[in-house]
Amino acid sequence: MFNFGDKEIGQDVLTSQKFLTNFIAQASVEAADPRLRNVLGQLHSEAAADARQVFDYLHSRGWYEVRPASISAVQDLMNTAQQLRQEITGINVPYGQLTGTAASTYVPGGYGTAGVYGGMGTTGYTAGMSGGINLPEWTRHEVRSEGGYQGDVIGQQYGGMTGMMTGSNLPQWARHDPQLGQSYQAIGGQQGFGGYQAGYGQMAPGYTGFQGGYGANLPAWTRQEVRGTEYPASGGPVAHTAYPGGPSVYQGGQIGTPAGFGAPFTGGYVGGYGGGYYGGTGVGLPAWTRQEVPGEQHRFGQLQPSIYQGYTGGFAGQQAGFRGGYGGMVGGYGTSGYGTTGYGTTGYTGNLPAWTRQEVRGTEFPATGGPIAQGAYPGGPGVYQGGAVGTPVQSVYRGIGGQAGTGVGQSVYQGLGTQYGGGTSIYQGQTGNLSS
Amino acid sequence: MPQLTMTELWWCDECIKGTALMVKKLGALAQISNDPQLRNICHTLRQNHQRHLDILVNQIASV
């Protein structure tokens, strides 16, 4: 007959006790009634204590061996856990991988003083626009915003696409940043999503960027107005600017032309922000796209008016680009009350039709402690000297603000431009001045 | 008074059966064990399971 000694008795009790303990625990979580759940939970706690009592008895007599884990096994587990943590909480995980949307990775080129931002730990604004294979050729332009920050928008094609965009189609400058050496996740547009999802990280590299774009094949519900965000200024009013849409293509910065943008932290950020936003509309888009797309207005305080070169530059660039194809003439209006931006004048190419030469009235910017600079600028032959595509021509824009008995806003744009709608250009905005 | 769901009833039924079996089993094992410490453990656990059984029965009866 089988010898059923104390060891076997104890092991049998422990096995039965563990089984029943686990069973009660499962019964507890299955209970819908809170009182029953509490009762079962209490029973589970006591049963686990009983199981521990039996375990201690067996272990004390060497009938229940426990083998310590090796250091290497523990280390392997730690590595696995660390990797999983990074995957879960890592900031480099793009949305696309999580949601199934397209994503691309690129490293923007050295631009401006982007390294400064990286050093401050304020990286991460990236943007990407993924392309739809059915979009017209004109959409396949590089669009790069100014400002030196990593808010560069790389547009292969506007519009959604599915799948992953590796960075292989991006230009070389977008793949390397000698100063930062950080990777950025650019999120491509979701298919059928015409909106925009801005994301910008501070203190976190490689955050999100734009999402979406325009696609001629997108469903109708995506064809809606995309309105920008207003950013109230610190100590100043909110500046509203409405940009009438039209056939225009914003052509952002030129590769390898730092232009000194983005010196401060805030400079580049906005630049990248705007560039992506205005990157979409173009000549070949259907009529529904030609609608108002208010731009973002970013204001900063007046304490540091002069260092926001990058900011001004980038933001002006997007305006210029946006209006480029439109042909209107928007005078620069100074906001020297803050010493912030100088909005430049954008002209048009001589090939634009006459109807584009219309008046576009500037926006009023109440200046703190100063008069309002108001500009009314009748359209006309623009001063924009656009070079041919692929032939950078340096040009200077001087938008003189309206006088209206109050003041004169002045802003200067320097750009290497080609034609609107093609090629690339850079708009360097400078701080506006206000003089009365 | 809330009524037990079928799920709750099934789990309670299984818990009661398992607990009752442990009460019987621990009583029998306590008798055949040679180590007084193990015997004492079996008695303690048996009492606990008996009490749990009562709690479960009372809980179902109160619903």
Side-chain angles (χ1 to χ4, degrees):
Chain A
M1 183 178 178
F2 179 72
N3 185 15
F4 203 75
D6 291 340
K7 177 182 177 181
E8 288 74 22
I9 293 174
Q11 291 176 339
D12 180 70
V13 171
L14 180 58
T15 301
S16 301
Q17 189 68 28
K18 287 194 293 187
F19 172 79
L20 189 57
T21 301
N22 292 331
F23 197 89
I24 294 174
Q26 194 166 354
S28 174
V29 298
E30 292 284 356
D33 182 62
R35 293 183 305 166
L36 180 59
R37 177 183 289 256
N38 291 334
V39 168
L40 291 172
Q42 182 64 31
L43 297 184
H44 168 261
S45 178
E46 295 181 6
D50 290 343
R52 177 69 190 202
Q53 189 175 354
V54 181
F55 167 81
D56 289 340
Y57 170 78
L58 293 173
H59 186 61
S60 65
R61 281 165 172 71
W63 294 340
Y64 200 106
E65 297 287 342
V66 288
R67 188 176 57 182
S70 64
I71 298 177
S72 61
V74 174
Q75 188 61 46
D76 290 342
L77 178 59
M78 290 296 295
N79 294 336
T80 302
Q82 187 67 20
Q83 184 177 1
L84 292 174
R85 286 180 60 191
Q86 290 178 352
E87 291 179 3
I88 295 172
T89 63
I91 50 184
N92 286 331
V93 177
Y95 261 63
Q97 293 183 6
L98 298 177
T99 61
T101 59
S104 62
T105 302
Y106 72 96
V107 179
Y111 195 73
T113 55
V116 175
Y117 312 129
M120 297 173 63
T122 54
T123 61
Y125 179 76
T126 60
M129 287 195 175
S130 60
I133 55 176
N134 295 325
L135 292 177
E137 175 64 26
W138 63 266
T139 66
R140 303 172 187 177
H141 291 301
E142 170 187 313
V143 179
R144 179 165 184 170
S145 59
E146 299 297 331
Y149 197 66
Q150 280 65 55
D152 301 330
V153 179
I154 310 301
Q156 294 296 321
Q157 291 177 341
Y158 296 167
M161 70 175 292
T162 57
M164 295 290 293
M165 283 179 59
T166 65
S168 59
N169 292 329
L170 297 176
Q172 181 62 38
W173 60 266
R175 302 174 190 171
H176 177 64
D177 187 338
Q179 294 177 296
L180 285 178
Q182 291 179 305
S183 297
Y184 296 86
Q185 301 295 332
I187 296 178
Q190 285 182 307
Q191 186 174 20
F193 186 80
Y196 115 100
Q197 179 177 350
Y200 37 88
Q202 292 186 356
M203 309 303 292
Y207 212 44
T208 61
F210 275 91
Q211 187 172 22
Y214 305 97
N217 295 326
L218 295 177
W221 62 269
T222 67
R223 301 172 188 179
Q224 57 188 5
E225 178 180 353
V226 180
R227 185 172 291 276
T229 308
E230 296 178 358
Y231 292 84
S234 298
V238 177
H240 294 273
T241 302
Y243 301 101
S248 66
V249 174
Y250 168 66
Q251 301 299 331
Q254 183 167 335
I255 300 173
T257 307
F261 289 169
F265 152 66
T266 52
Y269 159 67
V270 179
Y273 191 87
Y277 192 88
Y278 291 102
T281 55
V283 178
L285 287 177
W288 58 266
T289 67
R290 301 172 188 176
Q291 56 189 1
E292 175 182 350
V293 182
E296 288 88 351
Q297 290 287 337
H298 300 258
R299 290 286 187 219
F300 295 89
Q302 52 186 335
L303 296 178
Q304 296 174 311
S306 62
I307 64 173
Y308 292 124
Q309 293 297 325
Y311 166 78
T312 303
F315 193 78
Q318 65 184 222
Q319 288 192 51
F322 183 78
R323 289 185 175 278
Y326 190 79
M329 196 170 171
V330 180
Y333 28 83
T335 57
S336 295
Y338 312 96
T340 54
T341 61
Y343 293 164
T345 303
T346 59
Y348 58 89
T349 58
N351 295 329
L352 292 175
W355 61 268
T356 66
R357 304 172 187 177
Q358 59 187 5
E359 177 180 355
V360 179
R361 184 173 295 274
T363 307
E364 296 181 0
F365 288 82
T368 302
I372 297 175
Q374 184 178 21
Y377 307 99
V383 296
Y384 172 69
Q385 300 297 327
V389 176
T391 305
V393 175
Q394 185 171 8
S395 59
V396 176
Y397 297 88
R398 294 185 180 276
I400 306 301
Q403 297 182 357
T406 56
V408 177
Q410 184 178 33
S411 62
V412 177
Y413 282 88
Q414 292 181 347
L416 295 175
T418 59
Q419 291 179 348
Y420 289 112
T424 59
S425 63
I426 280 183
Y427 297 90
Q428 177 179 4
Q430 295 183 355
T431 303
N433 299 318
L434 180 66
S435 61
S436 60
Chain B
M1 179 178 296
Q3 186 176 2
L4 281 177
T5 66
M6 288 299 296
T7 301
E8 292 171 336
L9 189 62
W10 184 87
W11 281 101
C12 287
D13 182 58
E14 293 296 317
C15 286
I16 288 174
K17 289 177 181 176
T19 302
L21 180 61
M22 282 297 291
V23 171
K24 296 178 182 177
K25 184 176 183 178
L26 286 169
L29 293 176
Q31 290 182 353
I32 64 173
S33 63
N34 298 318
D35 187 352
Q37 185 179 357
L38 178 60
R39 192 181 305 124
N40 187 38
I41 292 174
C42 289
H43 280 306
T44 302
L45 265 63
R46 183 177 182 276
Q47 292 174 358
N48 289 340
H49 282 296
Q50 181 66 58
R51 184 167 51 85
H52 292 174
L53 183 62
D54 296 338
I55 292 175
L56 287 172
V57 173
N58 293 333
Q59 181 65 32
I60 294 174
S62 67
V63 176

